[in-house]
Amino acid sequence: MNPQISPPKIILDTDPGGDDAFALLWLISLVKQGFAELLAVTSVEGNVNAKLTFTNACKLLQLTGFPQIEVGRGVIKTQKEIADAAHIHGNDGLGNLAKTLPSPQKSYEKARYSDEIIIEKLTAFPGEITIIALGPLTNLASAETKFPGILKQAKEIIIMGGAFNVVGNVTPEAEFNIAYSLEASEIVLNSSNNLVILPLDVTRSLIFLPEMAENIAEVNPESPISQFILALAKAMTQTSLSYRETQGISGFLVHDAVTLAYLFYPETLQFRRGRVEVEVFGKWTKGKTICDRRHHAKMGANAWVAQQVNSADLLAAFVEDLKSLVEY
């Protein structure tokens, strides 16, 4: 890394979750290498309930040697459009492997709410922080509602969510993170013009294979991180095959990892600039993300939307960076 370039300041908003866990591990590997500064992890309910996502985030930070990083507790959404995704990620969110991880030192009851942390950090470092949102946008929307204009203080907001030219994963048209809280999604999409959206259109080609996990673990087979990666990859692969997510290929989709590729390996992605909105009223299309692709002036564009991904190069970088976590 060029010593004259400061590593990006990051808030990770996440609902671990299997692929969220792999994205967090990737980010921690980049922190360990000096390429990123993780200011906080703001957990959010989504894949599983808020207490479990908080606990899982704490356990993953404990596992990787970064227990000092603050973890926020998710803002609770009382009315949900869709159910959580425990049937995909396991009842504990981590393939029923959470019990194998170190006990967290942080208390859910004493933790600050995630929206409070977001407001505090963005106020302290205006224009400097990148928010990476891997789950429903409840925390971000709550921060914007409490402190109108606060999300404009982010350098950019990277969102894994939406489905534009492909089918959804919770309805024929809607993607989980967007559909989980349509009100929150609408608030965030209307909050600023500094959004980067990584939809299912690109994440569906990011199939993490069992041999990739084995390749990482070979560096240090005795590492607890290696053992967790192997076990979680196995659990997620079994679920992905049963839900036909990978066209019969033995592996699972690491949707959330693409957000880090945008920041650290941008050559793996291609984007379109446009105005992104979410359908909140449609009978059949509720939760669908829309981007105007007509050839005319794009006044009011709010987002860069990923169109293509070099999955081979992205996954190769992912695997090599994760090896830094398990080295002796």
Side-chain angles (χ1 to χ4, degrees):
M1 184 179 71
N2 187 332
Q4 296 180 338
I5 300 176
S6 299
K9 293 180 173 66
I10 294 171
I11 294 174
L12 185 71
D13 194 73
T14 181
D15 59 336
D19 58 323
D20 299 74
F22 274 90
L24 177 53
L25 291 176
W26 193 4
L27 178 54
I28 290 295
S29 79
L30 292 161
V31 172
K32 182 179 177 182
Q33 295 175 78
F35 294 129
E37 180 183 356
L38 182 55
L39 300 182
V41 174
T42 50
S43 66
V44 61
E45 65 175 5
N47 285 324
V48 285
N49 67 57
K51 187 169 185 178
L52 282 176
T53 60
F54 172 87
T55 301
N56 290 346
C58 292
K59 287 189 169 192
L60 290 167
L61 291 172
Q62 191 83 20
L63 175 70
T64 53
F66 287 85
Q68 74 278 10
I69 294 174
E70 184 175 9
V71 179
R73 59 188 288 190
V75 175
I76 302 297
K77 178 175 169 50
T78 55
Q79 292 185 331
K80 304 172 179 63
E81 280 80 7
I82 59 175
D84 67 24
H87 60 290
I88 298 289
H89 298 271
N91 290 330
D92 66 356
L94 294 178
N96 298 317
L97 297 167
K99 61 182 178 293
T100 69
L101 299 179
S103 297
Q105 297 178 356
K106 298 179 175 69
S107 165
Y108 174 78
E109 288 73 19
K110 294 180 180 179
R112 292 197 293 165
Y113 278 101
S114 292
D115 57 349
E116 297 172 11
I117 296 172
I118 291 169
I119 291 169
E120 177 194 270
K121 299 297 185 185
L122 291 180
T123 301
F125 301 101
E128 296 184 40
I129 294 175
T130 295
I131 297 176
I132 301 177
L134 305 182
L137 300 175
T138 318
N139 291 335
L140 276 65
S142 180
E144 181 69 18
T145 302
K146 285 184 176 180
F147 199 121
I150 191 63
L151 295 183
K152 287 187 174 68
Q153 298 302 315
K155 181 177 181 180
E156 54 191 351
I157 301 171
I158 306 170
I159 298 168
M160 190 276 117
F164 293 87
N165 300 313
V166 297
V167 298
N169 59 2
V170 289
T171 75
E173 299 292 344
E175 179 275 330
F176 176 85
N177 288 342
I178 297 297
Y180 189 83
S181 177
L182 292 175
E183 179 185 11
S185 298
E186 187 174 37
I187 289 171
V188 173
L189 289 175
N190 289 327
S191 68
S192 60
N193 61 2
N194 58 352
L195 309 177
V196 179
I197 299 176
L198 293 306
L200 295 182
D201 305 54
V202 295
T203 67
R204 280 223 168 95
S205 65
L206 300 177
I207 303 176
F208 187 82
L209 306 175
E211 50 263 40
M212 295 177 180
E214 292 165 5
N215 191 3
I216 295 165
E218 283 175 1
V219 174
N220 183 359
E222 302 304 316
S223 164
I225 302 174
S226 292
Q227 294 169 15
F228 176 70
I229 287 172
L230 285 170
L232 184 57
K234 181 179 179 181
M236 292 299 296
T237 294
Q238 290 172 344
T239 302
S240 294
L241 288 173
S242 67
Y243 281 90
R244 301 175 176 86
E245 290 188 331
T246 55
Q247 299 81 52
I249 298 171
S250 182
F252 70 99
L253 298 173
V254 281
H255 298 284
D256 294 328
V258 72
T259 55
L260 295 169
Y262 163 75
L263 267 188
F264 299 99
Y265 299 94
E267 69 278 8
T268 62
L269 291 155
Q270 293 183 9
F271 288 85
R272 174 193 294 271
R273 181 73 173 163
R275 175 78 194 177
V276 175
E277 300 186 68
V278 60
E279 174 57 66
V280 296
F281 299 114
K283 179 178 180 180
W284 305 111
T285 59
K286 192 174 183 180
K288 182 175 180 59
T289 42
I290 308 295
C291 184
D292 190 349
R293 300 189 300 275
R294 293 174 295 175
H295 185 57
H296 62 186
K298 300 295 190 298
M299 301 298 291
N302 63 344
W304 288 99
V305 180
Q307 304 288 297
Q308 297 181 42
V309 60
N310 183 328
S311 55
D313 281 356
L314 188 157
L315 289 168
F318 181 40
V319 167
E320 291 305 310
D321 281 330
L322 285 179
K323 288 180 180 179
S324 71
L325 276 184
V326 302
E327 290 174 344
Y328 289 94

